[in-house]
Amino acid sequence: MPVYKAPLIPASEITPEAVYLNRREWMKGAALLAAASALPTVEAAAAPSALPTFYKSRYSTSEAKNSETEITSYNNFYEFGTDKRDPAEYAHTLKTRPWVVEVSGHVAKPRRFDIDSLLKLAPLEERIYRLRCVEGWSMVIPWVGLPLAALLKEVQPTSAGKYVEFTTLLAPEQMPGQRTGSLDWPYVEGLRIDEAMHPLSILAVGLYGKPLPKQNGAPIRLVVPWKYGFKSIKSIVKIRLVDKQPISSWMRANPTEYGFYSNVNPEVDHPRWSQASERRIGEFLKRKTLMFNGYADEVASLYKGMDLRRNF
């Protein structure tokens, strides 16, 4: 376990309970979304105009989707600032072409994939997934992507590759948040190899049938729907197969609050607030948090016999 290194911004700024749990702040957020809907999308002109053909996946939920405006204007992407408005305002500086993802480590065939090669690894699918943030809010998002397993199979993990470590682009000249000490940059996340190979784990390249907006992690991000949203790392440039559990950015910032697994679990509270309920963006009343974010039938077997309080 790493020695705790206090972040250079207050903990209340990292995961501020009050912002998400009281009516006053909810109304502020609603006003923000209304204002955002009147503004042009700053990244649209720079992004590719269309995705390759994709099909609708059987893994999708039938729940009502959040609007495109909600999904693209209410974001956590600390590389562009700590306020929910910051990514939509500042992410236009991100250059998403050319883009290369380097895959290395304990693999038989290390490889560098440009974004166009990645789009051809497997048929693209629309996956409508629930997303639950550790801060207590949620959305339903129609991603377009491909199974992470398709990429991993291309590089042939060896038996020593027990974990998968992901790294975000480090480019402070493009990402103003990286010029601050809010986190130890670049952003790093990790999965166990069986979690990474699970059919629900995808690399998202699109949203609402269009190329992924910059504020949502363009051009390629991870989506792991049964885990809290911060596990779904954005703007990936490196994927490395390793033999030891990676230390993620939030674990490094505060290991007592952010564990490696970070599975959605209503029975394990955040040290500063309950996780038993959540607020769906666009709704006022809270709803019950579902175990593994509603994906227990698919993923509970991955953690059979584990103490999910100790391994949070």
Side-chain angles (χ1 to χ4, degrees), residues 38-58:
L39 297 173
T41 306
V42 296
E43 45 70 43
S49 59
L51 288 171
T53 301
F54 60 89
Y55 67 93
K56 296 186 181 298
S57 171
R58 65 185 178 89

Side-chain angles (χ1 to χ4, degrees), residues 31-84:
L32 167 63
L33 291 172
S37 65
L39 297 173
T41 306
V42 296
E43 45 70 43
S49 59
L51 288 171
T53 301
F54 60 89
Y55 67 93
K56 296 186 181 298
S57 171
R58 65 185 178 89
Y59 291 109
S60 295
T61 178
S62 59
E63 291 184 51
K65 301 185 292 288
N66 280 87
S67 72
E68 189 172 358
T69 296
E70 289 169 331
I71 296 167
T72 59
S73 63
Y74 194 85
N75 305 108
N76 281 327
F77 199 173
Y78 277 27
E79 283 80 352
F80 297 101
T82 59
D83 189 275
K84 294 292 184 288

Side-chain angles (χ1 to χ4, degrees), residues 4 15 72 120 142 151 159 163-164 175 178 181 193 203 274 281 304:
Y4 173 65
T15 47
T72 59
K120 297 173 183 176
L151 179 145
S159 59
Y163 296 89
V164 185
M175 297 172 148
Q178 290 182 342
I193 186 68
L203 294 170
S274 169
I281 295 299
K304 186 176 181 180

Side-chain angles (χ1 to χ4, degrees), residues 51 54 66-68 71-72 75 126 140-145 204-213 215-216:
L51 288 171
F54 60 89
N66 280 87
S67 72
E68 189 172 358
I71 296 167
T72 59
N75 305 108
E126 182 179 68
V140 177
I141 301 179
W143 304 107
V144 176
V205 296
L207 172 67
Y208 259 103
K210 295 178 283 189
L212 195 62
Q215 61 263 42
N216 293 95

Side-chain angles (χ1 to χ4, degrees), residues 156-178:
Q156 299 179 15
T158 69
S159 59
K162 301 184 183 306
Y163 296 89
V164 185
E165 179 188 80
F166 304 85
T167 305
T168 292
L169 175 70
L170 180 63
E173 71 283 2
Q174 299 178 45
M175 297 172 148
Q178 290 182 342

Side-chain angles (χ1 to χ4, degrees), residues 266-285:
E267 298 176 1
V268 177
D269 292 336
H270 187 280
R272 288 179 279 129
W273 57 81
S274 169
Q275 295 287 23
S277 63
E278 64 194 62
R279 178 179 59 80
R280 181 70 49 84
I281 295 299
E283 299 177 356
F284 175 65
L285 297 177

Side-chain angles (χ1 to χ4, degrees), residues 119-306:
L119 292 174
K120 297 173 183 176
L121 282 179
L124 296 183
E125 309 173 29
E126 182 179 68
R127 300 274 188 104
I128 305 173
Y129 279 166
R130 289 178 289 273
L131 178 136
R132 170 63 155 81
C133 181
V134 71
E135 295 163 333
W137 54 269
S138 65
M139 291 189 185
V140 177
I141 301 179
W143 304 107
V144 176
L146 64 150
L148 174 57
L151 179 145
L152 295 177
K153 288 174 182 176
E154 284 287 318
V155 297
Q156 299 179 15
T158 69
S159 59
K162 301 184 183 306
Y163 296 89
V164 185
E165 179 188 80
F166 304 85
T167 305
T168 292
L169 175 70
L170 180 63
E173 71 283 2
Q174 299 178 45
M175 297 172 148
Q178 290 182 342
R179 300 196 290 267
T180 74
S182 56
L183 284 172
D184 188 8
W185 308 111
Y187 194 91
V188 174
E189 258 304 341
L191 297 174
R192 213 168 57 190
I193 186 68
D194 57 345
E195 296 175 319
M197 297 294 289
H198 194 278
L200 289 180
S201 297
I202 65 169
L203 294 170
V205 296
L207 172 67
Y208 259 103
K210 295 178 283 189
L212 195 62
K214 294 180 179 180
Q215 61 263 42
N216 293 95
I220 188 163
R221 65 169 287 169
L222 179 67
V223 178
V224 191
W226 70 93
K227 294 179 179 287
Y228 291 118
F230 67 87
K231 292 291 289 187
S232 293
I233 183 171
K234 303 175 178 75
S235 300
I236 299 168
V237 292
K238 292 181 182 178
I239 299 175
R240 193 163 64 105
L241 279 288
V242 295
D243 58 353
K244 293 182 173 60
Q245 181 176 294
I247 300 174
S248 70
S249 290
W250 283 108
M251 289 173 66
R252 192 178 299 278
N254 194 340
T256 64
E257 295 191 356
Y258 304 99
F260 175 77
Y261 287 96
S262 298
N263 293 319
V264 177
N265 189 343
E267 298 176 1
V268 177
D269 292 336
H270 187 280
R272 288 179 279 129
W273 57 81
S274 169
Q275 295 287 23
S277 63
E278 64 194 62
R279 178 179 59 80
R280 181 70 49 84
I281 295 299
E283 299 177 356
F284 175 65
L285 297 177
K286 293 181 181 179
R287 58 175 66 208
K288 181 180 178 181
T289 298
L290 301 175
M291 186 66 190
F292 295 113
N293 203 26
Y295 297 96
D297 288 348
E298 291 87 353
V299 303
S301 62
L302 295 175
Y303 311 101
K304 186 176 181 180
M306 288 181 62

